[in-house]
């Protein structure tokens, strides 16, 4: 019998030999020899390799099990500012649903309390007291006289028949009458309703800004012509018959632009700034045109219905708290009025600046459709006023702000002057049709200056945007209540016709 202990040294030697042979095999394999010829113990080598890899496989298996069992890792909460999560679409949808439900409740409460108050016939009475007398429309027709005076003056200036000083005096007189004539007519003619007067004054205000721009641009053209600079030209602001038929853009230079067709194209175009080179679209898109027309009709009906059904009852119920100076009830009425007033303002913005102006632009093939920018993202008051009404902003920048800066006025003074002019026109469009002067709109506009400084100085980002929205939601109904209350008091609060109008 052979003792088992006798095999121990031999086993060690064999293992050492196996290891050495494995190393030699590796060398031989690298030199190009075959594995079968270099390894006399293939089974022993395989078992040794498995024994060496077993601990590694075991560690990997344990790590995999640990990873499967682990449920925590280093991360921030989604609503934390340190988190990179930005998808809040569900929360936005929730806000919309809550807004719809809350306003639906208010609308149902209004119906249960007041019934159906929408009356299309009453809307007509807001514009006309007598269906056979249209004073506001006649006032708008008379505005053609001032348009023709401006065109005739420019033609005389282009031909050199009158001097620049005489032309300036004619323009000063013409533009002054454009503002004063409709104001006198509205104040002296009782048959013009407040709504009809506001509409006529709005047309004359737009005409004033257009004619002022027309004067400036043509004067710049004369100055360049006299300086022997290149003449300004434009593409199809007033296309000739030849250019329209051939599809080519005819370049028209000064004084070729002084025509009735060119003048009235500018009068009806959705812009306040005159140019000799208006961008033009290739054709009229009928589908786009009818969509805008449908929006105009639908949103106008919605504005009228919400005003009669929602705003008028709240305004009527606000008169007594205002007379008694009951501040708690006044605050409650103000907050009640804020929601429908802001909703109507948003509907008016979309209806006028998107639907109506795009309709006119498409009809006239007017190419520049930037009537507004992203004012809803405004983080400062200044950004809001620069982006919510682009035609007015461009006019103020081109014909008022930059000329003041070129004449040496400081930035703050120029900005204050722009706000002052805006405040004047706001008061002009409200006080004259109501036939009373309380300066609420003027003071509201001038208050934008310190408010703009405070928001820009102390509020940033979302806080600034919230301040802009708050000023819009709360500021407007305050002015509405002030004017309605004063109108109610001045025109005899015991008069049933006035109460019905309110």
């Amino acid at each position: 019998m052979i003792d088992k202990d006798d095999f121990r040294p031999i086993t060690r030697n064999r293992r050492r030999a196996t290891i050495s042979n494995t190393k030699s095999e590796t060398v031989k394999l690298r030199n190009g020899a075959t594995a079968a010829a270099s390894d006399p113990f293939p089974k022993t080598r395989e078992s040794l390799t498995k024994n060496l890899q077993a601990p590694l496989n075991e560690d990997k298996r344990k790590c995999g099990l640990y990873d499967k069992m682990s449920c925590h890792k280093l991360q921030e909460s989604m609503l934390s500012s340190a988190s990179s999560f930005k998808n809040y679409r569900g929360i936005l949808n929730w806000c919309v649903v809550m807004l719809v439900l809350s306003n639906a409740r208010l609308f149902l409460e209004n119906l249960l309390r007041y019934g159906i108050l929408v009356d299309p016939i009453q809307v007509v009475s807001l514009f006309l007291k007598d269906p056979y007398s249209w004073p506001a429309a006649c006032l708008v027709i008379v505005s053609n006289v001032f348009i023709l005076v401006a065109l005739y003056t420019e033609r005389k200036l282009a031909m050199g028949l009158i001097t620049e000083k005489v032309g300036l005096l004619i323009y000063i007189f013409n533009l002054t009458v454009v503002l004063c004539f409709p104001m006198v007519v509205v104040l002296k003619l009782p048959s013009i309703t407040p709504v009809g007067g506001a509409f006529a004054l709005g047309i004359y205000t737009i005409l004033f800004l257009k004619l002022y721009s027309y004067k400036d641009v043509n004067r710049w053209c004369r100055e360049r012509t006299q300086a022997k600079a290149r003449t300004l030209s434009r593409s199809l602001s007033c296309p000739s018959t030849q250019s329209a038929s051939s599809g080519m853009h005819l370049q028209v230079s000064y004084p070729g632009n002084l025509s009735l067709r060119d003048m009235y194209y500018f009068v009806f175009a959705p812009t306040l700034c005159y140019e000799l080179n208006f961008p033009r679209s290739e054709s009229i898109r009928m589908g786009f045109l009818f969509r805008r027309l449908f929006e105009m009709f639908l949103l106008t009906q919605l504005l009228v219905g919400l005003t009669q059904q929602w705003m008028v009852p709240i305004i009527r119920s606000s008169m007594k708290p205002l007379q008694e100076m009951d501040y708690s009830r006044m605050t409650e009425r103000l907050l009640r009025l804020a929601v429908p007033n802001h909703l109507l303002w948003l509907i008016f913005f979309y209806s006028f600046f998107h639907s109506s102006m795009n309709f006119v632009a498409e009809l006239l093939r007017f190419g520049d459709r930037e009537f507004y920018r992203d004012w809803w993202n405004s983080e400062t008051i200044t950004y809001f006023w620069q982006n919510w009404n682009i035609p007015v902003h461009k006019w103020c920048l081109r014909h008022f702000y930059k000329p003041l800066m070129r004449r040496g006025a400081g930035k703050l003074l120029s900005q204050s002057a722009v706000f002052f002019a805006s405040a004047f026109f706001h008061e002009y469009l409200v006080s004259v049709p109501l036939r009373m002067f309380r300066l609420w709109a003027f003071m509201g506009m001038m208050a934008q200056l310190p408010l703009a400084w405070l928001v820009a100085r102390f509020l940033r980002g979302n806080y600034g945007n919230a301040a802009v929205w708050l000023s819009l939601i709360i500021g407007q109904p305050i002015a509405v209540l002030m004017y309605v209350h004063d109108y109610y008091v001045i025109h005899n609060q015991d008069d049933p016709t006035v109460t019905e109008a309110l």
Side-chain angles (χ1 to χ4, degrees):
M1 295 292 295
I2 301 174
D3 194 357
K4 294 180 180 180
D5 295 336
D6 295 337
F7 288 95
R8 290 178 183 175
I10 298 174
T11 306
R12 292 193 193 100
N13 294 333
R14 287 180 179 175
R15 287 179 180 174
R16 291 193 187 105
T18 303
I19 294 173
S20 61
N21 290 335
T22 305
K23 293 180 180 179
S24 62
E25 175 202 9
T26 306
V27 176
K28 290 179 180 180
L29 287 174
R30 289 175 181 173
N31 292 332
T34 59
S38 61
D39 189 3
F41 305 101
K43 294 183 178 180
T44 306
R45 183 183 62 80
E46 292 177 0
S47 63
L48 179 58
T49 303
K50 291 180 180 180
N51 292 336
L52 291 174
Q53 293 179 351
L56 297 175
N57 294 333
E58 185 67 20
D59 292 340
K60 291 182 180 180
R61 188 179 64 83
K62 290 181 178 180
C63 291
L65 291 176
Y66 178 77
D67 291 338
K68 291 180 180 180
M69 295 173 60
S70 176
C71 61
H72 297 286
K73 63 180 179 179
L74 185 63
Q75 58 184 338
E76 296 286 347
S77 299
M78 284 188 174
L79 299 180
S80 176
S81 59
S83 174
S84 60
F85 181 77
K86 296 181 180 180
N87 185 8
Y88 298 100
R89 185 183 61 179
I91 296 179
L92 178 62
N93 292 335
W94 170 78
C95 292
V96 172
V97 171
M98 292 298 295
L99 183 65
V100 171
L101 290 177
S102 59
N103 285 289
R105 185 199 66 81
L106 292 175
F107 187 74
L108 182 60
E109 179 185 0
N110 179 277
L111 286 176
L112 295 176
R113 178 178 297 182
Y114 303 109
I116 298 177
L117 302 176
V118 178
D119 185 6
I121 304 300
Q122 188 180 12
V123 178
V124 179
S125 66
L126 293 175
F127 290 89
L128 302 173
K129 286 185 177 180
D130 183 1
Y132 299 100
S133 176
W134 296 47
C138 294
L139 193 58
V140 172
I141 295 174
V142 173
S143 64
N144 289 278
V145 174
F146 306 102
I147 297 173
L148 296 177
V149 169
L151 178 60
Y152 180 80
T153 303
E154 286 298 333
R155 286 181 174 179
K156 294 301 180 182
L157 285 169
M159 292 185 293
L161 298 179
I162 59 176
T163 63
E164 290 290 336
K165 290 184 178 180
V166 175
L168 180 61
L169 290 175
I170 295 175
Y171 262 112
I172 291 175
F173 178 78
N174 191 40
L175 294 176
T176 303
V177 176
V178 166
L179 289 181
C180 296
F181 171 71
M183 179 179 67
V184 173
V185 173
V186 170
L187 291 176
K188 297 298 182 180
L189 197 61
S191 60
I192 297 182
T193 63
V195 177
F199 174 77
L201 288 173
I203 296 297
Y204 272 84
T205 301
I206 294 173
L207 182 61
F208 171 85
L209 299 177
K210 283 176 176 283
L211 293 182
Y212 191 96
S213 178
Y214 189 74
K215 170 191 75 70
D216 274 358
V217 173
N218 283 293
R219 177 172 58 84
W220 297 338
C221 290
R222 287 192 300 274
E223 291 174 354
R224 292 191 178 187
T225 301
Q226 293 170 1
K228 295 183 179 180
R230 63 180 181 86
T231 59
L232 293 176
S233 60
R234 61 170 172 79
S235 59
L236 282 180
S237 176
C238 177
S240 64
T241 306
Q242 179 181 0
S243 65
S245 60
S246 61
M248 301 294 293
H249 294 286
L250 180 63
Q251 301 294 322
V252 180
S253 60
Y254 183 85
N257 62 310
L258 302 179
S259 64
L260 277 174
R261 189 174 184 180
D262 180 89
M263 183 64 170
Y264 276 95
Y265 180 88
F266 171 58
V267 168
F268 287 101
T271 180
L272 299 176
C273 295
Y274 179 71
E275 288 186 4
L276 275 76
N277 51 339
F278 287 112
R280 302 292 296 275
S281 57
E282 294 296 330
S283 61
I284 299 176
R285 298 168 294 178
M286 299 305 298
F288 180 88
L289 192 70
F290 283 113
R291 284 197 299 271
R292 300 290 82 81
L293 182 63
F294 175 75
E295 290 175 354
M296 290 167 56
F297 176 78
L298 179 64
L299 293 177
T300 301
Q301 300 302 316
L302 186 60
L303 281 171
V304 172
L306 289 177
T307 301
Q308 292 181 326
Q309 185 69 42
W310 202 350
M311 282 196 66
V312 172
I314 298 175
I315 293 175
R316 285 179 178 175
S317 64
S318 303
M319 295 300 101
K320 187 175 181 181
L322 286 172
Q323 292 175 353
E324 298 175 353
M325 298 304 292
D326 187 347
Y327 293 104
S328 59
R329 293 178 62 193
M330 287 168 55
T331 304
E332 187 268 338
R333 293 297 190 277
L334 176 65
L335 295 178
R336 284 180 58 188
L337 184 63
V339 175
N341 177 82
H342 187 63
L343 182 60
L344 288 173
W345 183 80
L346 292 176
I347 295 174
F348 165 78
F349 168 80
Y350 186 89
S351 174
F352 183 78
F353 286 96
H354 185 75
S355 300
S356 300
M357 297 188 76
N358 270 291
F359 175 81
V360 175
E362 190 68 25
L363 197 62
L364 298 177
R365 293 170 50 211
F366 186 79
D368 187 2
R369 310 294 176 89
E370 189 185 38
F371 306 124
Y372 55 89
R373 298 193 189 112
D374 60 333
W375 57 265
W376 46 86
N377 293 326
S378 302
E379 297 180 1
T380 61
I381 300 295
T382 305
Y383 186 88
F384 167 78
W385 288 109
Q386 291 175 348
N387 292 275
W388 93 279
N389 189 341
I390 295 300
V392 171
H393 172 67
K394 286 182 178 179
W395 188 94
C396 292
L397 193 66
R398 185 192 196 192
H399 299 286
F400 198 47
Y401 180 80
K402 287 184 177 180
L404 286 176
M405 294 287 289
R406 285 194 294 266
R407 294 183 181 182
K411 183 177 180 180
L412 180 60
L413 179 60
S414 301
Q415 289 179 345
S416 301
V418 171
F419 272 100
F420 182 86
S422 179
F424 166 77
F425 281 109
H426 276 78
E427 190 65 37
Y428 175 81
L429 292 173
V430 176
S431 292
V432 175
L434 295 178
R435 299 180 177 90
M436 64 180 190
F437 300 92
R438 289 295 183 271
L439 299 180
W440 297 118
F442 181 87
M443 291 187 293
M445 281 301 303
M446 294 306 296
Q448 298 295 308
L449 283 172
L451 180 62
W453 181 83
L454 289 173
V455 172
R457 177 68 176 82
F458 298 104
L459 299 175
R460 298 288 182 181
N462 292 332
Y463 297 102
N465 183 254
V468 173
W469 279 112
L470 189 63
S471 67
L472 293 175
I473 296 173
I474 301 299
Q476 292 177 1
I478 293 177
V480 170
L481 285 179
M482 294 298 101
Y483 277 109
V484 171
H485 172 262
D486 292 347
Y487 185 86
Y488 178 75
V489 171
I490 290 176
H491 292 80
N492 192 357
Q493 57 185 349
D494 297 327
D495 191 349
T497 59
V498 176
T499 304
E500 182 65 23
L502 291 173

